[in-house]
């Protein structure tokens, strides 16, 4: 087409030069409708279209286009309405010249004819602006001719976004939104219903190629992927089979049918034979409101179809104007006669096969695109286009010699940029910097009936003048019919969204909509679908079972309420009871020889310390606090030293008592009761000092241990100073070792007075318990560490209580005859007497 444009441009340039007359070379006579006036509007509105535009191979076969005739009649109606308006273009009449051409080449010739004019006065009747064309490709070629001549072109249906480039098409304007906005609306529609996996079928040509490319770009921004993009050709059976095969095998449920009206008619007529079901079809404004496409066979395809259409408007008087057309209104038009013969299946020429046309037939009895006046959508764009030119021409009344005195540019082109008006039917027209108008669309839904008819219902809208986030709106409480015989919103995704608790992993070899979902690792969560990463919970939190939320970690400590805590508490209480019972037994029998022989004062002090040992074990049970942590360790250290000191004192007393050769030896005076009490106090005071230093410098305090277990917090008492803890245990061990050595040395003293044997056994138990305590304490987790410590305290305390006191209690209660001085003295060896 480039060479044709170049030749036409050369002819026009020569024709516009000074001292040149207007002269066309080649075919002319494309003028179809005209009316004189002071100012003329041109129109490239072909009433026929070529179904095979390959003139070098076959002649172009033209067919009548009802829709374009409707556009032409709408233009005529609008001109007449403007001429009746006394405020717009006062004193100036508006005329029109509408040209028809079959095929792109003839349309360019028609445009050149419109620009140059054809009357005998030369160029005096040239048009001020051109309305049309419907096709973006043809409009592109026409504007290439008009732009150098500064003649504005206003299209009512050319939606290609490419035409917004004012550097290439400086004189192009339109009253139809750019496809850029329709694409944005379609993307928002798919985003709203979460259709992330779609297919595209498009036609050949500028309109579909640009629109498809733009959709790919905008869809990618919103995370919508295109599974396939297939071209459709009216003549290629191979491409049709490829489309059918893909539709049957593809996983996407949503198909964007981005075809012009003529291509859509061809596509549906062929695809209806293949029984393609289960798809949600999305259409462009080019065909989505064409009820003529509906049929019983196509219900399986078109039921529930959605798409954006031009807003439905009312143009008062237009319906009557269109339906009142008679051939006598345009007696010189062969097109009107041809349409009439098609509508009524008659002929204006005598024929044996058809009836004669009278010219008075009623168009209201005909069903066609032309006679469909139930609503006006694209016709409103024609209506606004004529008004746009009229308001720009109105500015001529304020210009000098047809040029703006400020810019020197032709007034129509100059002022058309600043037009802002409201038509008589209430439509607002504002032209933006790209020559387009505000984008407004109705979202429509096909709701088909059993007889194949369709009700096209408005279910939403898209308005580019609204703020972001409010441009696309869906009506509330409105029934929507879905495609694919679905009773709910169809799902169309390559991969279902990764649920909570998982993360999305993108495969670089796949589209972003096709991904893998992996469960979050231990200690992490994802609280939103399709989360790219798993979040690490804060230290004091842990994932719930579903890994979709961080919950506060449960705290663990040895409680009185749990079985283990209750058992240890019970054993501690039993120990206290037995110690108390033993004290009562000894107290009630304090005058008996066996009690006196066992140093009753130290025995009572030992029993008192054992009660404290059993009671101090209870401080280890329960929720750790600052005071309980300091108390449990210091109380344990001091009471155990008190206990061991008493045992040590009893051992020394035994050794002192039986070390003298003669019974009258006064060796006991060196370790009498006062010195015994003083030794116990001195040994215990050393432990008190150690504990004071420990608590003062670095005391045991509560600690939340989160290192041992990942899923829970261990409430424990940190030792504070490990040196202090080791010093306390070491001192207890030192006294116990000394006590064991002395008791071992006294083990062969007379049985009746020999406590040393039982002290030796108790110390052996003590050492066995605390030696095994160390590895058990280090290796036990959480609350079991505390349980091991309590067990060691209870075991060693029970060992002392049982080994030292139970044999004597047995004699006191069950063998009272042995609890006599005679019996005891009778067992003393003669050497010691």
């Amino acid at each position: 087409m480039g060479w044709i444009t170049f030749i036409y441009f050369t002819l026009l340039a020569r024709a516009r030069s000074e001292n040149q007359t207007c002269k066309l070379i080649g075919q002319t006579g494309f003028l179809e409708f005209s009316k004189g006036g002071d100012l003329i509007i041109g129109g490239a509105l072909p009433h026929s279209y070529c179904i095979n535009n390959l003139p070098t191979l076959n002649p172009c076969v033209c067919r009548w286009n009802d829709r374009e005739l409707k556009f032409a009649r709408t233009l005529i109606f609008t001109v007449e309405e403007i001429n009746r308006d006394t405020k717009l273009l006062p004193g100036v009449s508006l005329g029109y010249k509408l040209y028809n051409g079959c095929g792109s080449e003839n349309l360019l010739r028609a445009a050149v004819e419109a620009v140059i004019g054809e009357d005998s006065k030369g160029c005096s009747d040239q048009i001020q602006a051109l309305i049309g064309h419907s096709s973006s490709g043809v409009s592109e070629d026409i504007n290439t001719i008009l732009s150098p001549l500064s003649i504005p072109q206003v299209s009512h249906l050319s939606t290609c976004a490419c035409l917004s480039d004012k550097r290439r098409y400086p004189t192009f304007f339109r009253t139809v939104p750019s496809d850029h906005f329709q694409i944005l609306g379609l993307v928002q529609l798919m985003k709203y219903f979460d259709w992330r996996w779609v297919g595209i079928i498009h036609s050949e040509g500028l309109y579909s190629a640009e629109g498809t490319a733009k959709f790919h770009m905008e869809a990618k921004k919103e995370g919508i992927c295109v599974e396939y993009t297939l071209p459709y050709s009216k003549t290629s059976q191979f491409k049709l089979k490829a489309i059918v095969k893909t539709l049957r095998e593809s996983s996407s449920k949503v198909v964007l049918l981005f075809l012009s009206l003529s291509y859509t008619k061809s596509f549906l007529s062929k695809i209806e034979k293949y029984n393609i079901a289960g798809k949600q079809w999305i259409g462009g404004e080019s065909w989505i409101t064409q009820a003529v496409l509906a049929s019983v066979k196509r219900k399986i395809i078109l039921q529930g179809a959605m798409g954006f259409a031009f807003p439905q408007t009312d143009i008062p008087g237009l319906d009557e104007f269109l339906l009142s057309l008679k051939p006598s209104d345009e007696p010189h038009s062969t097109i009107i006669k041809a349409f009439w013969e098609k509508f009524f299946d008659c002929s204006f020429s005598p024929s044996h096969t058809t009836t004669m046309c009278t010219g008075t037939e009623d168009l209201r009895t005909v069903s066609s695109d032309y006679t469909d006046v139930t609503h006006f959508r694209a016709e409103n764009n024609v209506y606004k286009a004529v008004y746009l030119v009229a308001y720009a021409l109105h500015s001529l009344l304020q210009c000098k010699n047809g040029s703006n005195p400020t810019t020197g540019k032709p007034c129509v082109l100059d002022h058309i940029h600043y037009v802002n008006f409201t038509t008589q039917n209430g439509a607002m027209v504002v032209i933006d910097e790209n020559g387009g108008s505000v984008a407004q669309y109705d979202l429509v839904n096909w709701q088909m009936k059993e007889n194949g008819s369709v009700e096209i219902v408005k279910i939403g809208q898209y308005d580019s003048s609204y703020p972001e986030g409010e441009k696309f709106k869906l009506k509330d409480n409105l029934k929507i019919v879905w495609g694919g015989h679905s009773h709910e919103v169809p799902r169309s995704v390559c991969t279902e969204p990764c649920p909570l608790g998982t993360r999305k992993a993108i495969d670089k070899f796949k589209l972003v909509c096709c991904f893998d979902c992996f469960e979050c690792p231990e200690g992490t969560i994802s609280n939103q679908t399709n989360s790219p990463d798993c979040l690490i919970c804060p230290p004091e939190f842990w994932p719930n079972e579903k890994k979709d939320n961080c919950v506060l970690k449960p705290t663990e400590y040895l409680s009185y309420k749990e079985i283990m805590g209750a058992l240890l508490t019970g054993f501690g209480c039993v120990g206290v009871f037995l110690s108390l019972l033993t004290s009562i037994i000894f107290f009630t029998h304090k005058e008996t020889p066996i009690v006196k022989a066992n140093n009753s004062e130290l025995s009572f002090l030992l029993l008192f310390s054992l009660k404290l040992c059993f009671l101090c074990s209870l401080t280890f049970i329960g929720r750790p606090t600052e005071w309980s942590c300091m108390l449990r360790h210091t109380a344990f250290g001091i009471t155990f030293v008190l206990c061991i000191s008493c045992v040590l004192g009893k051992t020394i007393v035994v050794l002192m008592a039986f070390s003298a050769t003669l019974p009258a030896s006064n060796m006991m005076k060196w370790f009498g009761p006062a010195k015994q009490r003083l030794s116990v106090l001195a040994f215990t005071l050393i432990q008190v000092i150690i504990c004071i230093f420990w608590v003062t410098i670095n005391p045991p305090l509560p600690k939340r241990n989160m290192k041992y277990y990942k899923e829970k917090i261990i409430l424990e008492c940190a030792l504070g100073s490990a040196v202090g803890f080791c010093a306390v245990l070491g001192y207890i061990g030192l006294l116990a070792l000394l006590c064991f050595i002395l008791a071992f040395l006294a083990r062969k003293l007379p049985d009746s007075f020999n406590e040393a044997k039982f002290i030796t056994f108790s110390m052996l138990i003590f050492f066995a318990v605390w030696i095994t305590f160390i590895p058990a304490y280090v290796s036990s987790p959480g609350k079991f560490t505390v349980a091991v410590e309590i067990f060691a305290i209870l075991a060693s305390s029970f060992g002392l209580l049982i080994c030292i006191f139970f044999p004597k209690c047995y004699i006191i209660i069950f063998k009272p005859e042995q609890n006599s001085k005679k019996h005891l003295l009778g067992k003393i060896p003669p050497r010691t007497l």
Side-chain angles (χ1 to χ4, degrees), residues 532-543:
D533 298 297
C534 294
L535 307 175
I536 300 175
C537 289
E540 295 187 359
F541 291 82
W542 189 253

Side-chain angles (χ1 to χ4, degrees), residues 19 46 49 65 90 214 250 394 404 411 445 467 615 761:
N19 303 322
Y49 61 93
N65 192 326
K214 187 68 177 177
S250 64
H394 187 79
N404 189 310
C411 277
N445 178 227
L615 287 173
F761 285 137

Side-chain angles (χ1 to χ4, degrees), residues 715-735:
L715 289 181
E716 61 184 14
C717 288
L719 295 176
S721 172
V723 175
F725 182 65
C726 292
V728 168
L729 288 182
Y731 184 64
I732 295 173
L734 179 63
L735 291 181

Side-chain angles (χ1 to χ4, degrees), residues 334-474:
T334 57
I335 295 294
I336 296 296
K337 291 181 180 179
F339 271 106
W340 205 265
E341 290 177 343
K342 186 187 79 165
F343 286 158
F344 297 103
D345 193 22
C346 62
S347 175
F348 284 98
S349 302
S351 173
H352 297 291
T353 58
T354 58
T355 58
M356 285 288 293
C357 296
T358 63
T360 59
E361 290 86 355
D362 189 356
L363 285 174
R364 292 175 178 81
T365 62
V366 177
S367 177
S368 72
D369 285 345
Y370 179 85
T371 59
D372 182 6
V373 294
T374 54
H375 58 266
F376 297 117
R377 296 184 186 272
E379 295 80 11
N380 191 46
N381 295 333
V382 178
Y383 185 74
K384 291 189 292 186
V386 178
Y387 265 98
L388 177 65
V389 174
Y391 272 93
L393 289 173
H394 187 79
S395 300
L396 281 169
L397 301 177
Q398 302 172 10
C399 297
K400 188 181 293 183
N401 298 324
S403 295
N404 189 310
T406 304
T407 63
K409 295 181 180 179
C411 277
V412 177
L413 181 60
D414 192 31
H415 283 269
I416 206 168
H417 286 280
Y418 310 107
V419 167
N420 186 342
F421 64 92
T422 302
T423 62
Q424 291 190 13
N425 71 334
M428 291 187 63
V429 179
V430 179
I431 299 300
D432 61 24
E433 65 276 7
N434 297 318
S437 59
V438 174
Q440 293 177 323
Y441 295 99
D442 288 345
L443 177 63
V444 297
N445 178 227
W446 279 48
Q447 300 182 6
M448 299 187 68
K449 300 179 176 63
E450 293 299 325
N451 61 3
S453 63
V454 62
E455 181 182 2
I456 301 176
V457 180
K458 177 182 176 181
I459 59 172
Q461 66 178 26
Y462 181 88
D463 193 328
S464 64
S465 65
Y466 287 180
E468 285 296 331
E470 299 180 15
K471 297 180 186 294
F472 174 74
K473 289 183 179 179
L474 207 65

Side-chain angles (χ1 to χ4, degrees), residues 532-580:
D533 298 297
C534 294
L535 307 175
I536 300 175
C537 289
E540 295 187 359
F541 291 82
W542 189 253
N544 59 3
E545 188 176 349
K546 295 181 179 179
K547 294 187 176 182
D548 60 356
N549 189 27
C550 289
V551 296
L552 193 64
K553 288 181 180 179
T555 54
E556 183 181 88
Y557 58 89
L558 189 59
S559 170
Y560 292 103
K561 296 179 180 179
E562 58 182 294
I563 296 176
M564 184 166 58
L567 287 174
L568 292 173
T569 301
F571 281 117
C573 292
V574 169
V576 173
F577 172 74
L578 292 177
S579 299
L580 182 61

